């Protein structure tokens, strides 16, 4: 379920290519909203979408990744299915809307 955080963009790409479905949670430790949202997202994925792998990316430690992905605000959540980015949510994230988006791609891939 949980993947090790990529340290650079090459590791990021490797994780995407070696897994069918990956969720990346990009954040910084200083973000209070991020701290509240992260466990809720993990619960959602764990309970409803067990085939999706999860990885936390601390953007203070991985500045190259944020630059390569054009991530300018936190939190940012990225979902990749079959190596392609299919969902990108940033800043104000509604978990119910996100659930609906995930469901669509998840059913297509795994059911």
């Amino acid at each position: 379920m949980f993947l090790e955080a990529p340290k650079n963009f090459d590791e990021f790409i490797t994780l995407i290519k070696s897994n069918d479905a990956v969720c990346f949670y990009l954040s910084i430790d200083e973000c209070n909203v991020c701290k509240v949202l992260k466990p809720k997202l993990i619960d959602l994925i764990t309970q409803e979408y067990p085939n999706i792998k999860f990885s936390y990316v601390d953007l203070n430690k991985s500045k190259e990744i944020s630059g390569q992905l054009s991530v300018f605000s936190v939190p940012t959540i990225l979902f990749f299915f079959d190596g392609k980015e299919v969902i990108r949510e940033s800043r104000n994230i509604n978990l119910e809307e996100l659930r609906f988006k995930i469901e669509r791609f998840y059913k297509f891939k795994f059911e």
Side-chain angles (χ1 to χ4, degrees):
M1 159 76 193
F2 294 98
L3 299 172
E4 189 172 325
K7 295 175 186 68
N8 56 51
F9 192 66
D10 289 336
E11 288 183 15
F12 184 87
I13 295 299
T14 300
L15 289 176
I16 292 168
K17 289 182 178 180
S18 60
N19 292 283
D20 290 333
V22 185
C23 170
F24 291 97
Y25 189 79
L26 297 95
S27 173
I28 58 174
D29 287 337
E30 298 82 16
C31 174
N32 289 324
V33 171
C34 303
K35 290 176 187 176
V36 172
L37 184 61
K38 183 180 169 188
K40 292 178 181 181
L41 178 63
I42 290 172
D43 285 345
L44 173 67
I45 292 171
T46 304
Q47 293 174 11
E48 298 187 33
Y49 309 106
N51 292 323
I52 297 176
K53 307 289 190 225
F54 180 86
S55 181
Y56 171 74
V57 180
D58 183 341
L59 295 179
N60 285 332
K61 296 177 183 174
S62 304
K63 294 186 187 313
E64 176 193 8
I65 293 173
S66 65
Q68 291 286 337
L69 296 172
S70 299
V71 173
F72 302 111
S73 64
V74 291
T76 295
I77 301 170
L78 304 175
F79 282 87
F80 289 82
F81 283 78
D82 294 326
K84 295 182 179 145
E85 181 181 327
V86 295
I87 300 171
R88 177 182 287 241
E89 294 289 327
S90 293
R91 206 177 287 193
N92 298 325
I93 299 166
N94 181 315
L95 283 178
E96 286 304 314
E97 289 177 12
L98 183 60
R99 174 184 280 124
F100 178 75
K101 291 177 183 179
I102 298 168
E103 185 80 20
R104 189 170 147 228
F105 290 102
Y106 193 85
K107 281 185 176 180
F108 182 74
K109 173 69 180 166
F110 296 108
E111 293 180 9

